[in-house]
Amino acid sequence: MILRRRTEAPNPHSFAEEISDYDDACCQKCGTGDFPAKMLLCDKCDKGFHLFCLTPILISVPKGSWFCPSCSNHKIPKSFPLVQTKIVDFFRIQRTPELAQKLSQDNLRKRKRVTSLVMSKKRRKLLPFSPTDDPKRRLQQMASLATALRASGTEFSNELIYVPGMAPRSANQAALEKGGMQVLSKEDTETLNLCKLMMSKGECPPLMVVYDPKEGFTVQADRFIKDLTMITEYVGDVDYLKNRENDDGDSTMTLLHAANPSQSLVVCPYKHGNIARFINGINNHTAEGRKKQNLKCVRYNVNGECRVLLIANRHISKGERLYYDYNGYEHEYPTEHFV
């Protein structure tokens, strides 16, 4: 699993006091002993590996024990059963034939209305995603997401979760955003609600989660996606940034960047999350890496609360992997070793 912190965070653990342990270590991948502060020693075989030489790469030193690929006996995750009842239960889909038909009809009318608005470049309205027509293919798409979520120990949720003992919902106030926040229009809010409704009824975004030996779980388009299409909301448990600064989390996302740091909030998709967690970031240190970007991550004021949306910033072809820039706000996420 590729590690990716997406908010203000402390520097990786310092090895200054234990640097002597790494003086003689050489990376098993590149064969050098350079960058000792970026060297990991396997807790079983004591062989060394640079963080950035591993596949997938690691951004920071993991807490606790770490085992190299050979000693961890890492295997390709077992696929989620392609059984409709199991998928319905996993995603808690509530659906009847009458509701499904009504949703499809309402969705078609909504798409036509919103699409006509987007034709005007001046208005730049957001589009709802267009689900795959084939129900069997949609089951395969949902099974691929269920495989990734189960492998990462994450329960599916398509909403922000407020857990007792963490940040309460009352703390999520867009008015506290440093410098202000873009307000999601009424029409675009309706589009967001439509996307949520479709997902709750089993009409998921046309996306497939695949396992790549270099990038870990990653997401690719399973049909053509238009520019300005709303892909998904970034969701998970909401907490104060101050409570998460020393976490070894891999997918923490900024939700509220407050003028008062003690009020800043983050989304933590480790116990609850959706497909957004598995969308990879670009290497924004290279022109080739920047060309991969086909999504933008935008934080919006939605009815007074902060929400994070992933939106297509150009047309996306079927089979193309999805990428966005992790450094949209704080510009501190180290992406120079991303593939």
Side-chain angles (χ1 to χ4, degrees):
M1 181 170 58
I2 189 165
L3 295 185
R4 32 195 154 158
R5 183 179 296 280
R6 301 171 187 156
T7 185
E8 295 177 2
N11 293 327
H13 300 291
S14 172
F15 288 89
E17 297 180 359
E18 302 179 16
I19 198 70
S20 60
D21 294 338
Y22 292 78
D23 285 344
D24 299 326
C26 289
C27 176
Q28 298 299 304
K29 296 289 187 178
C30 68
T32 74
D34 299 338
F35 307 106
K38 298 289 185 179
M39 188 80 73
L40 273 176
L41 294 183
C42 176
D43 286 301
K44 184 174 182 180
C45 68
D46 284 333
K47 292 180 179 179
F49 296 83
H50 285 124
L51 295 174
F52 49 81
C53 287
L54 292 166
T55 53
I57 67 169
L58 298 181
I59 292 300
S60 60
V61 178
K63 291 182 179 178
S65 299
W66 178 83
F67 302 100
C68 70
S70 297
C71 294
S72 62
N73 295 318
H74 183 72
K75 299 179 180 179
I76 296 176
K78 182 180 179 180
S79 297
F80 193 87
L82 193 60
V83 178
Q84 184 173 2
T85 54
K86 291 184 179 293
I87 292 174
V88 167
D89 290 342
F90 185 89
F91 291 102
R92 299 184 296 278
I93 295 171
Q94 300 295 324
R95 191 177 188 186
T96 64
E98 294 77 12
L99 283 174
Q101 183 177 6
K102 183 178 185 300
L103 175 63
S104 297
Q105 293 172 348
D106 291 346
N107 184 25
L108 181 61
R109 287 195 295 269
K110 182 72 176 181
R111 284 185 216 153
K112 288 181 178 179
R113 183 172 72 84
V114 177
T115 302
S116 63
L117 291 172
V118 179
M119 294 304 291
S120 171
K121 290 185 178 180
K122 294 181 180 179
R123 304 192 72 175
R124 301 286 287 178
K125 302 300 180 183
L126 299 181
L127 289 167
F129 62 78
S130 181
T132 300
D133 297 325
D134 183 1
K136 292 183 178 179
R137 188 60 177 175
R138 290 204 301 269
L139 281 179
Q140 293 174 338
Q141 293 165 355
M142 288 188 285
S144 73
L145 173 56
T147 297
L149 290 170
R150 186 173 64 175
S152 61
T154 305
E155 181 180 346
F156 173 76
S157 175
N158 214 29
E159 304 291 340
L160 293 175
I161 304 293
Y162 297 92
V163 180
M166 296 169 61
R169 185 165 186 170
S170 60
N172 186 356
Q173 300 182 39
L176 299 176
E177 174 70 18
K178 184 177 181 180
M181 179 178 286
Q182 184 175 347
V183 177
L184 194 68
S185 70
K186 179 180 178 180
E187 290 169 303
D188 288 342
T189 299
E190 291 176 355
T191 299
L192 172 61
N193 292 336
L194 173 61
C195 290
K196 296 282 188 177
L197 178 62
M198 287 192 288
M199 188 66 199
S200 70
K201 304 304 180 183
E203 295 196 0
C204 59
L207 306 172
M208 192 72 75
V209 183
V210 297
Y211 185 79
D212 183 283
K214 290 186 177 180
E215 297 187 62
F217 285 113
T218 186
V219 181
Q220 65 185 35
D222 205 34
R223 72 180 299 176
F224 174 78
I225 298 175
K226 292 182 179 180
D227 183 19
L228 292 179
T229 294
M230 193 177 294
I231 302 298
T232 188
E233 179 178 4
Y234 202 98
V235 299
D237 297 340
V238 178
D239 201 1
Y240 291 107
L241 172 61
K242 61 186 179 182
N243 295 338
R244 297 284 176 163
E245 288 184 329
N246 295 317
D247 277 8
D248 193 33
D250 62 352
S251 303
T252 306
M253 169 70 78
T254 298
L255 179 64
L256 169 62
H257 186 51
N260 181 349
S262 66
Q263 296 177 311
S264 292
L265 301 176
V266 292
V267 181
C268 309
Y270 313 118
K271 294 184 178 180
H272 305 91
N274 62 8
I275 200 166
R277 177 178 180 178
F278 305 108
I279 299 177
N280 285 337
I282 63 169
N283 181 337
N284 54 17
H285 292 262
T286 67
E288 190 64 29
R290 290 190 291 270
K291 286 181 181 178
K292 288 184 177 182
Q293 183 174 355
N294 47 26
L295 300 182
K296 58 182 178 180
C297 177
V298 186
R299 291 186 291 132
Y300 284 103
N301 176 340
V302 182
N303 297 323
E305 294 185 339
C306 304
R307 308 277 284 275
V308 183
L309 304 181
L310 296 180
I311 301 165
N313 65 353
R314 61 172 173 80
H315 292 329
I316 303 173
S317 302
K318 179 179 179 181
E320 187 177 346
R321 291 190 178 178
L322 304 189
Y323 293 93
Y324 67 101
D325 188 355
Y326 290 173
N327 288 313
Y329 297 101
E330 290 82 19
H331 303 285
E332 57 77 43
Y333 194 87
T335 67
E336 62 270 20
H337 299 297
F338 280 18
V339 294

